[in-house]
């Protein structure tokens, strides 16, 4: 099984009459976008904005970001399970606009009637300044869709609409007519390699619980499936889609289809290791026994794959950490060595226990940094996507004013802190 | 003190003396699948177990 | 002109002794007491001093208000450097110095200096980057401490960052806390490298220490259960419908108690759960599923225990810092002990 990626990148984005890519210059047409999304945006007003890396812009109420990907050949369509009938993906050719995101921002129409656990969390993207290394998306171009639903739209309908619109928009952009644009070519495959190389699998634990905190695999909620083995190429074709609005700790849809963990293991495949593939599992199981079982099943899958070791990371925090640690423990108990990546919650003054749960088997931890440390956040010149920040249900804040907050205000910050190289250390 | 929780391993790590595993973390002392009278009977049995743990001498964290 | 703002308690500001510990915040546009000695030593650098004086008890009891007044003073005076104390081993003063220094450093990013003895409980309230000069246990070390304050301030005034760092290493209390630093390798790279080292039998270092919790002695009942009064406590955020006291749905900042006197169970529609960490819809349908009042009443009638306390206690745990929850737990324990409660049944989600 192999997938050819055609990676186009842009260095310029602007509005124009027709949507087209010329060299590295992307022109977008509002009229074409409005027509594209017309049947999906019933009762929802859409404002379109363009944002570039380095601009002094702050995007607020970010719900998701989607990478433009579209299949040119091979089975199925990108983001399978949402647009078509079930077909496997991960073969043939897929075009991508590598450094552009379709970014959806907005607030649910009946926000107050969501239960506390369902309520989306505030997430902002600072394109410049002190926050940029903490926000996922700060180094991309963005087409921002700011959604303003009528009060008559239900939460369930809004949830579906924002997802369908962003996925359709992303596919449309990847299929745009291209002139004088040379893509970089990349092959995603797990070819046979020297069997002396250590065999490594990737444990990919997502959050999937209920509406507004769920993740989809081929359009099915992962809370309703068993942990399973997934070929890396399926990720690149958008087999995993996010419906999780726990902003700072979510894995955006665009990151699911462009995972640096998968890329790192693919790059080393055949050189320092034999990458066996990905085990997709889920955290936030409802009871301790279920968390233990999830761990045992994942370890069993790793053993069946023949893994000598696993790299593991998770989406989420809190009780999802327990599922994660049960997984790490179960692997170590099977003799499968683990390297597990996690953020720390050492408190604003650095004194608290770093992790919610830390069994002794988890002896190969990689830190993403202290996510409860306060940062002084100055304003940026422009705010897109809303008028007020929701400081996680405790207060409102004017996004044009400075404030002191921890990285949990930043969209996708747990993943981004990791990829920015942050970690926590003892300091006097 | 007796703690009824789903996350008994975390409770033991922080040194809670008496720990009882409750039901799912959305309803630690509930069983919504059962009709009300049976759910109450189940809950009474669970709390009885919790009370019995209070009568047990404990020197280090114990899951009952 | 370098501006220095100096925080002193009522005693060191010359307002009075313990009887003035409740004195509120005062801004004085000059150096006072030991501040005047520091000012004199720094004369050559052209410093302008101002002082904040605050009673130790006042700060402890009205911290929010005190900080508001201090904020107004800072926004007017625009200090370049902030000092508090020295507080030596004085507990309330040391905690106030530590808190104010940390708050100033966080909000204005100016250097903040205090001076404490290593046993001062204020050392548990120090935020990042604050300088905590090590002192002796009493004012006997005042002269030496002030010399060191001046030494540090000279380095800060000169913009000598490495000098300040050396000073920290030599004269400041080592208070290890975990903070974020930036490395030049992403987490996914370090993770693969750690795994390969493990698999090759090479040395590797786990980046997150396993921190053992302080273990406490576990109390056992001193009387029979039949003679005991039991209280119900929960971290599940269950409050009367309408959330009259505005309990937060994550990181509870306070605990509350609500009457269950005369109730044989908790009725749907009269209570609701404020908690983002679990799906509250099931306990909203029957709140006994988080605070098991109905079951407790059955067992109370059977005289399995003597009496159920007439209030249940509640806070919201999800996302909270353990130290804050320990503080709330102490508060609840104190109230329960004062009310003659012998045992607690605590539910958590």
């Amino acid at each position: 099984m192999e997938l050819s990626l055609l990676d186009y990148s842009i260095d310029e984005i602007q509005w124009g009459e027709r949507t087209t890519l010329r060299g590295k210059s992307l022109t977008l047409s509002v009229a074409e976008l409005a027509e594209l999304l017309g049947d999906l945006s019933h009762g929802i007003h859409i404002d379109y904005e363009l944002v570039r890396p380095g601009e002094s812009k702050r995007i607020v109420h970010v719900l998701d970001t989607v990478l433009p990907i579209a299949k040119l050949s091979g089975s199925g369509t990108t983001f399978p399970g949402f647009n078509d009938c079930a077909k496997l993906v991960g073969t043939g050719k897929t075009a991508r606009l590598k450094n552009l995101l379709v970014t959806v921002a907005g607030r649910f129409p009946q926000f107050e009637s969501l239960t506390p656990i369902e309520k989306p969390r505030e997430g902002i993207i600072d394109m410049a300044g002190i926050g940029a290394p903490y926000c996922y998306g700060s180094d991309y171009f963005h087409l921002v869709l700011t959604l303003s639903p009528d009060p008559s739209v239900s939460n369930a309908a809004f949830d579906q609409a924002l997802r369908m619109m962003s996925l359709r928009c992303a596919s449309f952009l990847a299929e745009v007519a291209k002139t004088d644009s040379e893509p970089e070519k990349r092959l995603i495959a797990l070819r046979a390699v020297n069997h002396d190389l250590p065999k490594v699998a990737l444990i990919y634990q997502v959050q999937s619980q209920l509406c507004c905190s769920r993740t989809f695999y081929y359009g099915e909620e992962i809370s309703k499936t068993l942990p399973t083995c997934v070929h890396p190429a399926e990720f690149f074709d958008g087999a995993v889609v996010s419906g999780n609005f726990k902003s700072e700790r979510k894995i955006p849809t665009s990151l699911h289809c462009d995972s640096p963990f998968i890329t790192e293991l693919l790059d080393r495949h055949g050189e320092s290791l034999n990458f066996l593939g990905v085990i997709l599992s889920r955290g936030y199981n409802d009871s301790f026994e279920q968390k233990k079982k999830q761990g045992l099943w994942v370890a069993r899958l790793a053993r069946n794959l023949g893994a000598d070791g696993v790299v593991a990371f998770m989406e989420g925090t809190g009780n999802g950490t327990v599922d994660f640690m049960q997984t790490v423990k179960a692997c170590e108990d099977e003799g499968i060595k683990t390297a597990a990546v996690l953020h720390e919650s050492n408190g604003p003054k650095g004194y608290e226990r770093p992790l919610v749960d830390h069994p002794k088997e988890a002896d190969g931890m990689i830190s993403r940094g202290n996510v409860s440390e306060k940062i002084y956040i100055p304003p940026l010149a422009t705010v897109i996507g809303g008028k007020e920040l929701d400081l996680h249900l405790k207060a409102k804040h004017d996004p044009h004013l400075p404030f002191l907050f921890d990285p949990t205000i930043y969209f996708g910050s747990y993943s981004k802190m990791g990829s920015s190289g942050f970690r926590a250390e003892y300091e006097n | 003190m007796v703690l009824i929780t789903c996350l008994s391993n975390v409770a033991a790590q922080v040194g809670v003396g008496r720990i009882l595993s409750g039901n799912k973390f959305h309803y630690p002392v509930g069983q919504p699948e059962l009709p009300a009278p049976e759910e109450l009977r189940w809950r009474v049995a669970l709390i009885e177990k919790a009370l019995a743990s209070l009568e047990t001498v404990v020197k280090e964290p114990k899951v009952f | 002109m370098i501006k220095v703002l100096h925080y002193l308690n009522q005693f060191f500001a010359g307002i009075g002794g313990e009887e003035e510990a409740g004195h509120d915040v005062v801004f004085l546009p000059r150096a006072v007491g030991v501040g005047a000695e520091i000012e004199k030593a720094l004369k050559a650098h052209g410093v302008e001093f101002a002082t904040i004086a605050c009673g130790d008890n006042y700060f402890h009891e009205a911290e929010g208000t005190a900080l508001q007044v201090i904020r107004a003073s800072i926004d007017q005076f625009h200090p370049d450097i902030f000092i508090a104390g020295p507080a030596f081993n004085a507990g309330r003063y040391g905690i106030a110095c530590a808190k104010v220094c940390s708050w100033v450093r966080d909000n204005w990013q100016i250097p903040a200096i205090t001076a404490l003895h290593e046993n001062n409980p204020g050392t548990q309230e120090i935020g990042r980057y604050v300088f905590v000069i090590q002192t002796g246990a009493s004012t006997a070390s005042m002269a030496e401490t002030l010399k060191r304050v001046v030494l540090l301030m000279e380095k800060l005034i000169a913009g000598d960052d490495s000098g300040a760092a050396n000073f920290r290493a030599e004269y400041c209390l080592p208070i290890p806390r975990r903070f974020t630093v930036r490395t030049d390798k992403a987490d996914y790279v370090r993770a693969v490298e750690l795994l390969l080292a493990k698999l090759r039998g090479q040395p590797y270092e786990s980046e997150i220490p396993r921190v053992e919790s302080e273990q406490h002695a576990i109390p056992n009942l001193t009387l029979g259960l039949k003679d005991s009064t039991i209280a119900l406590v929960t971290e599940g955020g269950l409050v009367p419908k309408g959330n009259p006291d505005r309990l937060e749905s994550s990181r509870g900042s306070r605990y509350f108690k609500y009457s269950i006197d005369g109730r044989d169970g908790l009725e749907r529609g009269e209570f609701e759960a404020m908690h983002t960490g679990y799906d509250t819809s099931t306990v909203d349908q029957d709140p006994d599923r988080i605070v098991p009042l109905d079951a407790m009443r059955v067992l109370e009638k059977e005289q399995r225990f003597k009496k159920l306390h007439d209030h249940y206690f509640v806070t919201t745990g999800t996302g909270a810092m353990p130290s804050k929850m320990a503080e709330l737990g102490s508060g609840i324990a104190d109230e329960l002990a004062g009310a003659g409660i012998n045992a607690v049944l605590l539910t958590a989600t």
Side-chain angles (χ1 to χ4, degrees):
Chain A
M1 182 165 157
E2 59 179 48
L3 174 67
S4 291
L5 295 179
L6 275 67
D7 281 348
Y8 296 89
S9 60
I10 64 175
D11 56 20
E12 194 175 86
I13 192 169
Q14 59 273 324
W15 294 117
E17 273 198 38
R18 306 291 322 280
T19 303
T20 177
L21 179 66
R22 213 173 278 281
K24 284 176 175 284
S25 176
L26 179 66
T27 305
L28 299 176
S29 155
V30 174
E32 286 182 358
L33 291 172
E35 204 199 314
L36 176 76
L37 302 178
D39 64 319
L40 293 175
S41 54
H42 185 73
I44 302 172
H45 175 77
I46 311 175
D47 285 304
Y48 300 89
E49 313 235 18
L50 301 178
V51 176
R52 301 159 187 83
E55 290 188 320
S56 182
K57 285 186 176 155
R58 170 170 289 165
I59 314 172
V60 306
H61 301 334
V62 181
L63 293 166
D64 196 18
T65 55
V66 188
L67 193 72
I69 55 176
K71 289 210 73 62
L72 303 175
S73 68
S75 161
T77 61
T78 51
F79 311 117
F82 286 98
N83 283 316
D84 59 346
C85 48
K87 277 207 182 116
L88 292 175
V89 294
T91 59
K93 283 200 177 80
T94 296
R96 313 196 307 168
L97 291 184
K98 256 193 80 140
N99 59 343
L100 171 67
L101 295 175
V102 175
T103 298
V104 184
R107 295 264 286 177
F108 273 62
Q110 332 291 335
F111 189 85
E112 290 313 317
S113 68
L114 292 167
T115 63
I117 196 176
E118 288 172 330
K119 288 191 162 85
R121 285 168 69 81
E122 180 65 81
I124 70 179
I125 302 179
D126 276 0
M127 298 300 292
I130 198 159
Y134 294 88
C135 314
Y136 174 83
S138 57
D139 41 1
Y140 286 79
F141 287 83
H142 295 257
L143 165 62
V144 183
L145 310 178
T146 301
L147 307 182
S148 308
D150 288 342
S152 61
V153 176
S154 70
N155 286 329
F158 183 69
D159 177 47
Q160 273 178 24
L162 74 93
R163 188 153 42 254
M164 299 308 293
M165 282 198 267
S166 54
L167 299 181
R168 183 186 285 181
C169 196
S171 305
F172 168 75
L173 291 176
E175 285 165 336
V176 73
K178 302 168 185 77
T179 330
D180 299 327
S181 309
E182 261 316 300
E184 272 174 40
K185 296 205 173 107
R186 194 171 151 200
L187 191 68
I188 309 296
L190 293 177
R191 65 193 188 288
V193 294
N194 182 342
H195 57 205
D196 287 337
L197 290 171
K199 300 185 184 61
V200 175
L202 175 66
I203 293 175
Y204 196 112
Q205 180 182 297
V206 300
Q207 175 172 12
S208 196
Q209 293 176 275
L210 35 71
C211 173
C212 300
S213 314
R214 52 191 175 166
T215 309
F216 301 93
Y217 178 55
Y218 286 88
E220 295 303 314
E221 287 182 54
I222 290 172
S223 52
K224 300 184 174 138
T225 64
L226 290 170
T228 187
C229 298
V230 179
H231 192 283
E234 294 179 78
F235 284 87
F236 286 95
D237 266 349
V240 179
V241 167
S242 176
N244 183 6
F245 309 125
K246 299 298 181 193
S247 256
E248 73 273 31
R249 49 224 194 203
K250 73 169 274 173
I251 300 177
T253 299
S254 52
L255 188 57
H256 281 307
C257 78
D258 198 18
S259 165
F261 283 88
I262 293 179
T263 297
E264 182 69 17
L265 290 164
L266 284 170
D267 285 349
R268 292 179 185 250
H269 180 67
E271 288 173 31
S272 52
L273 51 86
N274 179 350
F275 182 27
L276 303 172
V278 185
I279 299 171
L280 181 64
S281 76
R282 158 235 174 188
Y284 293 90
N285 283 282
D286 292 337
S287 71
F288 184 56
E289 287 305 308
Q290 288 176 329
K291 291 170 187 311
K292 255 206 272 193
K293 286 176 213 173
Q294 183 82 200
L296 293 171
W297 292 336
V298 170
R300 178 56 51 87
L301 283 171
R303 198 179 93 164
N304 290 349
L305 284 174
D308 299 309
V310 291
V311 172
F313 72 98
M314 65 170 277
E315 176 185 29
T317 185
N319 84 67
T321 318
V322 180
D323 308 64
F324 188 64
M325 286 303 185
Q326 286 302 306
T327 303
V328 168
K329 175 183 184 331
C331 287
E332 290 282 346
D333 288 346
E334 286 270 4
I336 300 168
K337 304 263 179 271
T338 62
V341 177
L342 208 47
H343 60 280
E344 302 182 42
S345 307
N346 301 302
K349 291 180 176 174
Y351 291 101
E352 306 284 353
R353 263 163 76 96
L355 301 180
V356 168
D357 183 17
H358 195 162
K360 61 185 187 319
E361 292 84 355
D363 68 345
M365 299 301 304
I366 296 292
S367 168
R368 285 176 154 172
N370 176 7
V371 301
S372 36
E373 192 175 328
K374 300 261 185 262
I375 307 168
Y376 184 79
I377 305 173
L380 295 176
T382 314
V383 175
I384 296 171
K387 300 245 176 321
E388 291 187 311
L389 293 187
D390 166 18
L391 298 182
H392 300 329
L393 309 177
K394 310 256 165 108
K396 301 270 186 233
H397 183 77
D398 178 350
H400 296 279
L401 296 177
F403 62 120
L404 193 67
F405 216 80
D406 56 35
T408 66
I409 201 68
Y410 289 124
F411 179 75
S413 59
Y414 291 12
S415 298
K416 179 68 178 189
M417 284 175 69
S419 57
S420 292
F422 287 118
R423 60 168 286 183
E425 275 179 0
Y426 280 111
E427 191 179 283
N428 281 327
Chain B
M1 190 268 286
V2 56
L3 169 66
I4 305 181
T5 178
C6 140
L7 302 183
S8 45
N9 62 331
V10 176
Q13 271 174 56
V14 300
V16 176
R18 296 174 179 78
I19 304 162
L20 217 73
S21 279
N23 198 356
K24 310 213 167 151
F25 66 76
H26 310 294
Y27 31 87
V29 294
Q31 268 234 33
E33 316 84 65
L34 295 175
E38 285 171 310
E39 187 186 358
L40 178 59
R41 202 171 313 133
W42 170 85
R43 185 157 43 250
V44 170
L46 181 71
I47 302 306
E48 164 58 57
K49 208 167 149 199
L51 295 178
S53 79
L54 287 172
E55 292 177 305
T56 314
V57 171
V58 162
K59 291 207 169 67
E60 50 180 32
K62 184 174 158 76
V63 180
F64 285 83
Chain C
M1 181 63 74
I2 303 287
K3 291 192 185 175
V4 179
L5 185 59
H6 188 184
Y7 177 96
L8 290 169
N9 72 357
Q10 79 283 356
F11 174 77
F12 285 95
I15 294 173
E18 189 56 36
E19 76 287 357
E20 291 290 350
H23 200 285
D24 63 1
V25 184
V26 177
F27 176 83
L28 304 159
R30 61 183 180 280
V32 170
V34 298
E37 292 180 47
I38 300 171
E39 183 186 43
K40 196 161 138 200
L42 290 171
K43 209 153 167 239
H45 298 278
V47 291
E48 187 190 333
F49 252 73
T51 306
I52 296 274
C54 180
D56 282 337
N57 287 346
Y58 182 82
F59 187 87
H60 180 67
E61 278 147 26
E63 185 179 323
T65 316
L67 292 179
Q68 263 177 26
V69 176
I70 299 173
R71 177 181 283 279
S73 305
I74 293 177
D75 285 341
Q76 230 189 359
F77 180 63
H78 300 297
D80 301 295
I81 299 179
F82 185 85
I83 334 173
F88 306 101
N89 211 0
R92 281 168 305 152
Y93 188 22
I95 290 172
C97 288
K99 284 186 172 181
V100 184
C101 277
S102 307
W103 174 80
V104 169
R105 179 57 176 86
D106 280 345
N107 283 282
W108 286 273
Q109 293 90 52
I110 56 175
I113 307 169
T114 188
L116 303 173
H117 182 259
E118 61 188 355
N119 291 338
N120 193 314
T123 57
Q124 296 304 301
E125 296 289 346
I126 296 292
R128 195 175 190 183
Y129 305 124
V130 173
F131 291 93
V132 185
I133 298 174
Q134 182 161 17
T135 72
S138 73
T139 53
S141 63
M142 176 68 85
E144 190 178 2
T145 301
L146 292 183
K147 259 200 222 126
R148 292 192 180 154
V149 172
V150 168
L151 184 58
L152 175 58
M153 288 181 69
E154 282 172 341
K155 294 189 193 299
L156 293 170
I157 290 168
D160 181 4
D161 288 340
S162 72
N166 290 338
F167 180 95
R168 183 189 284 282
E170 196 172 343
Y171 295 114
C172 287
L173 275 176
I175 309 174
R177 296 143 293 153
R178 289 186 71 76
F179 291 118
T180 304
V181 297
R182 196 160 183 190
T183 71
D184 55 9
K185 274 193 192 159
D187 57 350
Y188 46 87
V189 174
R190 303 194 323 269
V192 176
E193 288 180 350
L194 186 149
L195 182 64
L196 290 176
K198 246 190 182 183
L199 290 172
R200 290 167 184 158
Q202 289 163 354
Y204 62 93
E205 205 187 300
S206 184
E207 293 180 355
I208 308 180
R210 194 162 166 255
V211 173
E212 299 286 349
S213 283
E214 222 183 290
Q215 301 291 311
H216 300 277
I218 297 164
N220 293 295
L221 273 179
T222 47
L223 40 153
L225 196 62
K226 278 174 67 100
D227 303 312
S228 298
T229 305
I230 307 186
L232 286 170
V233 181
T234 185
E235 94 34 75
L238 188 78
V239 295
K241 186 103 176 127
N243 195 12
D245 296 306
R246 301 265 157 270
L247 175 67
E248 298 95 337
S249 55
S250 66
R251 299 192 178 184
S253 61
R254 296 175 54 190
Y255 66 83
F256 298 104
K257 57 181 187 284
Y258 298 108
S259 175
I260 44 178
D261 194 30
R263 287 181 183 274
D264 278 341
L266 298 177
E267 299 303 315
R268 167 172 128 190
E270 291 182 12
F271 293 87
E272 59 177 335
M274 299 301 299
H275 201 290
T276 59
Y278 69 100
D279 181 356
T280 51
S281 56
T282 312
V283 317
D284 283 348
Q285 293 297 308
D286 179 3
D288 296 291
R289 290 169 175 153
I290 183 69
V291 175
L293 178 58
D294 57 1
M296 288 294 278
R297 288 294 187 213
V298 167
L299 293 162
E300 190 183 28
K301 284 199 181 74
E302 288 175 13
Q303 297 181 321
R304 188 71 180 84
F305 57 92
K306 182 166 144 212
K307 186 171 162 346
L308 179 63
H309 188 49
D310 54 14
H311 285 76
Y312 78 89
F313 286 73
V314 55
T315 189
T316 302
T318 186
M321 294 294 118
S323 59
K324 180 66 181 179
M325 289 293 119
E327 186 194 305
L328 297 184
S330 280
I332 296 173
D334 285 345
E335 278 202 49
L336 292 177
I341 306 304
N342 307 109
V344 162
L345 196 142
L346 172 63
T347 59
T349 59

